[in-house]
Amino acid sequence: MAPSSTPPPPPPPLWWVGILLLVELLLLPRGLAKNDDEACLSDLRRSLTDPSGSLRNWTRGNFAAPCNGFTSYLHGVTCNNGRIYKLSLAGLALGGAISPYVSNCTNLQSLDLSSNQLAGPIPPELSALLNLAVLNLSSNRLNGPIPPQLALCAYLNVIDLHSNLLSGPIPDQLGLLVRLSTFDVSYNRLEGPIPVLLANRSGISPGLPRFNASSFVGNRDLYGYPLPPIKGRGLSVLAIVGIGLGSGLLSLVLSFTAVCIWLRVTEQAAMMAADEGKISHLMPEY
Ligand SMILES: *[C@@H]1O[C@H](CO)[C@@H](O)[C@H](O)[C@H]1NC(C)=O
Ligand SMILES: *[C@@H]1O[C@H](CO)[C@@H](O)[C@H](O)[C@H]1NC(C)=O
Ligand SMILES: *[C@@H]1O[C@H](CO)[C@@H](O)[C@H](O)[C@H]1NC(C)=O
Ligand SMILES: *[C@@H]1O[C@H](CO)[C@@H](O)[C@H](O)[C@H]1NC(C)=O
Ligand SMILES: *[C@@H]1O[C@H](CO)[C@@H](O)[C@H](O)[C@H]1NC(C)=O
């Protein structure tokens, strides 16, 4: 005969579960989020130099709570519902580098650090910014490659990297960003072929905006449509000028030599004629 089973413990009261859920929903995400934005700001501040004092109030005390609902007291920071969603630090003469910890501002939709003196690479960690729509890092001194990981930021509308010192190829993966409406990598040191999916977007989906040559000009070793074809032949302007000058010089030397030879020949002929003349002149007197 089976022993009678002990009665199961009574279930926890529902209100207790409810309170636990509420605490988790209200407090936990916000606490984590604040720490992420704080790490983002404090590390970015550490990696930047600020000779003009524009970031005077970017102080540790202000990082702990950078957002008060929709407002922020930090210069260049815009908030949305307690999280940083926009960083606009254009034209502030900032130096230093872009911290990879910017990727901890996970709600960021717009990152504008254009027209500064920033050097170093574009951190591939920016790929963690899954809401990023605008990336403007133009007119700095950024070097190294364009990280192909940027293609993970599926909402990217604007990639403006013009007037930097970026090198290497344009990653093919960027052609897969279907929301891209502005793409500018002009005036860098990029090389290789222009990705087909960036040059002709109808391969992805008909009606996507095209990027014309102005997006790509000013990169010595970049070639292919929509750039004019002459750059693709491996002959730089310098080589063409060199060949022109060289052949000009060669023909100058050749014609100079020819004139010299001609002069000598005619001189000799004249002398001979003169001699003959002398002789013929003298002849009758004999
Ligand atoms: C920080 O600086 C900006 C402008 O530079 C100003 O609008 C803001 O009020 C300042 N915030 C604090 C807390 O001083
Ligand atoms: C912050 O960013 C750094 C660099 O990308 C990363 O190593 C770290 O895990 C991030 N921290 C959090 C909490 O996401
Ligand atoms: C990027 O910033 C520069 C100025 O800092 C501005 O002239 C340019 O229009 C911006 N790019 C886009 C695509 O908005
Ligand atoms: C662009 O791509 C479409 C489809 O892939 C093709 O039909 C068209 O000829 C291409 N245009 C150019 C200018 O390459
Ligand atoms: C190239 O595209 C830009 C916008 O992306 C436009 O402002 C410009 O007029 C275009 N240039 C030509 C030659 O079509």
Side-chain angles (χ1 to χ4, degrees), residues 49-55 75 88-94 114-116:
T49 61
D50 176 29
S52 64
S54 313
L55 304 182
H75 187 76
S88 306
L89 302 173
L92 299 178
L94 303 172
S114 60
S115 301
N116 284 295

Side-chain angles (χ1 to χ4, degrees), residues 2-73:
S4 63
S5 56
T6 51
L14 267 181
W15 59 268
W16 180 236
V17 176
I19 279 187
L20 268 181
L21 270 176
L22 210 65
V23 164
E24 221 163 307
L25 273 175
L26 287 181
L27 295 181
L28 255 178
R30 235 188 234 182
L32 279 180
K34 274 184 182 170
N35 288 340
D36 288 355
D37 281 355
E38 182 180 357
C40 161
L41 290 179
S42 65
D43 215 80
L44 180 61
R45 179 64 193 92
R46 239 197 315 273
S47 73
L48 298 175
T49 61
D50 176 29
S52 64
S54 313
L55 304 182
R56 234 173 288 112
N57 62 20
W58 276 49
T59 55
R60 186 152 283 287
N62 285 336
F63 294 155
C67 293
N68 178 14
F70 287 81
T71 56
S72 172
Y73 300 111

Side-chain angles (χ1 to χ4, degrees), residues 78-263:
T78 311
C79 295
N80 186 5
N81 213 6
R83 292 295 310 272
I84 298 175
Y85 94 109
K86 210 167 162 186
L87 278 175
S88 306
L89 302 173
L92 299 178
L94 303 172
I98 303 174
S99 163
Y101 279 73
V102 169
S103 61
N104 293 25
C105 280
T106 46
N107 271 25
L108 209 59
Q109 285 175 35
S110 172
L111 178 60
D112 184 356
L113 303 174
S114 60
S115 301
N116 284 295
Q117 310 284 328
L118 301 174
I122 298 174
E125 289 85 353
L126 293 186
S127 62
L129 299 174
L130 296 180
N131 296 315
L132 197 64
V134 174
L135 180 64
N136 191 346
L137 306 177
S138 62
S139 301
N140 279 289
R141 308 185 51 77
L142 299 170
N143 57 31
I146 299 175
Q149 292 92 332
L150 285 182
L152 294 171
C153 305
Y155 290 102
L156 270 172
N157 273 275
V158 172
I159 297 181
D160 191 349
L161 306 176
H162 81 263
S163 303
N164 277 288
L165 304 170
L166 300 168
S167 57
I170 301 176
D172 284 325
Q173 293 92 324
L174 298 187
L176 299 171
L177 290 167
V178 288
R179 296 181 191 235
L180 214 52
S181 59
T182 301
F183 183 77
D184 191 350
V185 294
S186 59
Y187 301 100
N188 277 286
R189 295 173 175 179
L190 299 167
E191 59 183 44
I194 293 174
V196 174
L197 288 182
L198 279 176
N200 182 0
R201 315 268 297 143
S202 47
I204 292 224
S205 147
L208 284 185
R210 269 166 185 239
F211 304 124
N212 59 34
S214 67
S215 296
F216 304 101
V217 292
N219 291 279
R220 230 177 353 188
D221 297 322
L222 203 60
Y223 58 88
Y225 179 83
L227 285 176
I230 183 132
K231 296 253 165 91
R233 302 286 185 225
L235 282 184
S236 64
V237 172
L238 210 65
I240 292 167
V241 166
I243 288 169
L245 278 182
S247 53
L249 207 66
L250 189 69
S251 58
L252 206 68
V253 166
L254 280 179
S255 45
F256 186 70
T257 320
V259 165
C260 279
I261 289 171
W262 180 78
L263 276 179

